[in-house]
């Protein structure tokens, strides 16, 4: 027996923690560089360790949760994230810091995947809406950490702030231990053995590559748009960061609306509207020389990007009820590979040809996503 409200509380808090995970390293990097006298190469190494940890966590959570349930792994991951917070705050050496960053990413990848799969499992007819609400908490975490550091940096060290926030992860893990969870889905057999069928499912592969482009689109916007605005439109760094924040706000608001006001709207209609908004936002960003119009374009882009993960994950959850965790692992790993690969490609393009090609890259990704979505919707009948 389990209480759905308590499960939602754990998953929403977990996703908030994952949002904090993705943004924390970049937020405290200036302090870490000063503390350990890092050069740019070492800083880049830290940024590469984090996604590798997230990728590893995304790979292992699914089969484990399908076979043994969500409770144990989620609790361990939350406690592991707490250790990561404390380690990043108080690591005595760069070597220990790198281990803690990997642990931080590993726990984050597990929490991200497990919370999405768990919400999908306990949602019968409203998977998209509930997964969208889950995504809102990711945005709150991503926006909240820089805000907290900005407000408190004059009063406390970044180590104290980071270590204190880490206790939220510990409390979440302890709370997860104390409540009931759904039982394991796979009573007999191995999820790894059953996962072989995932590689032969054309629809699942199409969904995975849609999320490959969705994840990489989010990455190149969040990592490169500030440089683009500062270089192409000559805006101040603070204004560029403001524009980036509004892109995340646009995504959060749209997910909140999808989980509430638009809860009864079909996934197909929301997905089509999302693609239209992404196309409109990316074209507007391409052809404007105005900072104000660019901000509007980024808000529209954010709203358009809101639907991708919740809707596609809902399709996966409906398609693979018995091994939903393993199926989620499959698509998350491919999505994260896209995130890392195309972000690296954008770096090469920016270095060789100029940051002005960013908007062309964004438009190309949206076009690929539109083509993939058209085929996906023809092959399935979303509710």
């Amino acid at each position: 027996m389990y209480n759905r409200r308590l499960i939602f509380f754990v998953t929403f808090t977990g996703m908030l923690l994952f949002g904090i995970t993705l943004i924390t390293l970049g937020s405290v990097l200036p302090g870490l560089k000063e503390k350990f006298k890092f050069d740019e190469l070492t800083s880049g190494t830290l940024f590469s360790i984090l996604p590798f940890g997230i990728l590893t966590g995304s790979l292992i959570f699914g089969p484990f949760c399908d076979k043994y349930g969500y409770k144990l792994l989620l609790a361990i991951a939350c406690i592991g994230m707490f250790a990561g917070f404390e380690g990043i705050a108080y690591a005595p050496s760069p070597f220990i810091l790198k281990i803690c960053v990997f642990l931080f990413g590993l726990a984050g990848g597990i929490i991200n995947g497990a919370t999405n799969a768990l919400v999908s499992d306990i949602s019968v007819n409203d998977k998209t809406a509930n997964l969208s609400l889950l995504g809102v908490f990711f945005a709150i975490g991503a926006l909240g950490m820089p805000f907290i550091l900005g407000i408190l940096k004059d009063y406390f060290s970044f180590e104290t702030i980071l270590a204190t926030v880490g206790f939220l992860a510990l409390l979440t893990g302890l709370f997860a231990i104390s409540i009931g969870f759904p039982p394991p889905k796979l009573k007999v057999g191995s999820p790894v053995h059953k996962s072989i069928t995932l590689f032969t499912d054309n629809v699942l592969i199409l969904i995975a590559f849609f999320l490959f482009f969705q994840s990489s689109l989010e990455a190149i916007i969040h990592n490169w748009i500030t440089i683009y605005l500062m270089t192409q439109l000559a805006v101040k760094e603070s204004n560029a960061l403001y524009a980036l924040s509004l892109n995340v706000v646009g995504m959060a608001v749209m997910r909140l609306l999808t989980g509430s006001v638009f809860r009864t709207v079909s996934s197909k209609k929301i997905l089509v509207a999302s693609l239209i908004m992404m196309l409109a936002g990316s074209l507007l960003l391409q052809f404007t020389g105005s900072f104000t119009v660019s901000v509007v374009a980024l808000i529209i882009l954010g709203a358009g990007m809101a639907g991708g993960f919740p809707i596609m994950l809902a399709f996966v959850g409906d398609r693979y009820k018995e091994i939903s965790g393993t199926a989620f692992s499959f698509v998350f790993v491919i999505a994260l590979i896209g995130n890392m690969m195309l972000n690296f490609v954008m770096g090469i393009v920016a270095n060789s040809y100029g940051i002005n090609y960013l908007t062309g890259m964004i438009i190309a990704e949206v076009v690929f996503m539109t083509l993939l979505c058209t085929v996906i919707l023809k092959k399935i009948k979303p509710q």
Side-chain angles (χ1 to χ4, degrees):
M1 296 295 295
Y2 63 93
N3 185 311
R4 286 179 84 237
R5 290 186 178 182
L6 295 180
I7 295 294
F8 279 128
F9 177 81
V10 169
T11 55
F12 290 168
T13 307
M15 186 54 71
L16 183 142
L17 287 167
F18 181 64
I20 293 173
T21 299
L22 283 191
I23 207 73
T24 289
L25 193 58
S27 300
V28 303
L29 185 61
L32 291 172
K33 288 178 70 174
E34 182 179 349
K35 179 178 179 180
F36 292 106
K37 309 302 180 186
F38 283 160
D39 56 19
E40 297 303 322
L41 179 61
T42 306
S43 300
T45 301
L46 287 178
F47 279 118
S48 65
I49 291 173
L50 182 67
F52 182 69
I54 294 172
L55 185 65
T56 305
S58 300
L59 184 65
I60 66 176
F61 86 86
F64 186 97
C65 291
D66 286 338
K67 184 66 177 178
Y68 303 106
Y70 294 96
K71 181 172 183 172
L72 177 61
L73 192 63
L74 262 178
I76 291 173
C78 288
I79 295 170
M81 182 174 284
F82 165 72
F85 269 112
E86 306 309 305
I88 294 172
Y90 298 121
S93 69
F95 177 73
I96 299 298
L97 176 64
K98 290 174 184 178
I99 293 175
C100 292
V101 169
F102 176 79
L103 177 62
F104 201 51
L106 176 69
I110 291 171
I111 290 171
N112 175 49
T115 53
N116 275 285
L118 180 53
V119 167
S120 174
D121 284 353
I122 65 174
S123 304
V124 181
N125 298 318
D126 48 6
K127 290 187 192 296
T128 295
N130 289 338
L131 287 167
S132 295
L133 288 177
L134 183 67
V136 173
F137 284 84
F138 167 80
I140 293 172
L143 290 170
M145 192 61 186
F147 178 77
I148 291 171
L149 286 166
I151 292 293
L152 299 178
K153 67 179 181 180
D154 293 332
Y155 305 98
F156 303 98
S157 67
F158 81 88
E159 292 97 338
T160 301
I161 298 169
L162 204 59
T164 303
V165 172
F167 277 94
L168 176 62
L170 177 62
L171 292 173
T172 303
L174 296 175
F175 184 73
I177 294 172
S178 69
I179 66 172
F181 273 73
K185 299 184 293 295
L186 201 59
K187 304 291 186 183
V188 180
S190 166
V192 176
H193 177 73
K194 289 180 177 291
S195 68
I196 295 173
T197 60
L198 302 179
F199 293 91
T200 61
D201 185 347
N202 292 334
V203 175
L204 187 69
I205 292 171
L206 287 169
I207 290 173
F209 276 95
F210 178 94
L211 296 179
F212 174 99
F213 288 109
Q214 168 85 37
S215 181
S216 59
L217 177 64
E218 294 178 16
I220 64 172
I221 289 175
H222 295 163
N223 292 334
W224 295 97
I225 199 65
T226 53
I227 299 173
Y228 173 84
L229 294 175
M230 291 166 63
T231 304
Q232 298 300 112
L233 302 183
V235 303
K236 296 188 298 183
E237 182 180 3
S238 58
N239 288 338
L241 290 171
Y242 170 74
L244 175 59
S245 297
L246 287 178
N247 172 261
V248 179
V249 169
M251 182 186 292
V253 170
M254 188 61 194
R255 283 180 174 170
L256 182 61
L257 291 172
T258 302
S260 55
V261 177
F262 303 142
R263 179 172 280 266
T264 57
V265 178
S266 73
S267 297
K268 180 178 180 179
K269 290 180 179 178
I270 294 175
L271 200 50
V272 170
S274 297
L275 291 167
I276 291 172
M277 284 189 286
M278 281 193 287
L279 284 169
S282 57
L283 290 171
L284 195 59
L285 192 63
Q286 167 75 29
F287 295 110
T288 186
S290 164
F291 174 66
T292 302
V293 176
S294 295
V295 170
V296 173
L298 286 168
I299 294 172
I300 295 171
L301 259 173
M305 293 189 298
F309 268 99
I311 293 173
M312 290 299 171
L313 291 178
F315 291 166
V316 174
D318 281 334
R319 197 171 183 86
Y320 287 95
K321 292 183 173 65
E322 187 182 25
I323 54 169
S324 59
T326 305
F328 273 43
S329 274
F330 180 86
V331 297
F332 270 126
V333 167
I334 292 178
L336 284 165
I337 291 172
N339 182 307
M340 298 163 67
M341 183 184 298
L342 294 189
N343 191 48
F344 178 73
V345 169
M346 185 62 228
I348 295 174
V349 170
N351 183 62
S352 302
Y353 304 103
I355 192 65
N356 55 301
Y357 281 88
L358 174 66
T359 51
M361 186 85 160
I362 292 172
I363 292 172
E365 292 224 52
V366 174
V367 169
F368 278 118
M369 290 170 67
T370 303
L371 293 174
L372 286 168
C373 185
T374 302
V375 179
I376 290 168
L377 293 178
K378 286 182 178 179
K379 289 181 174 290
I380 62 177
K381 295 180 179 179
Q383 297 300 313

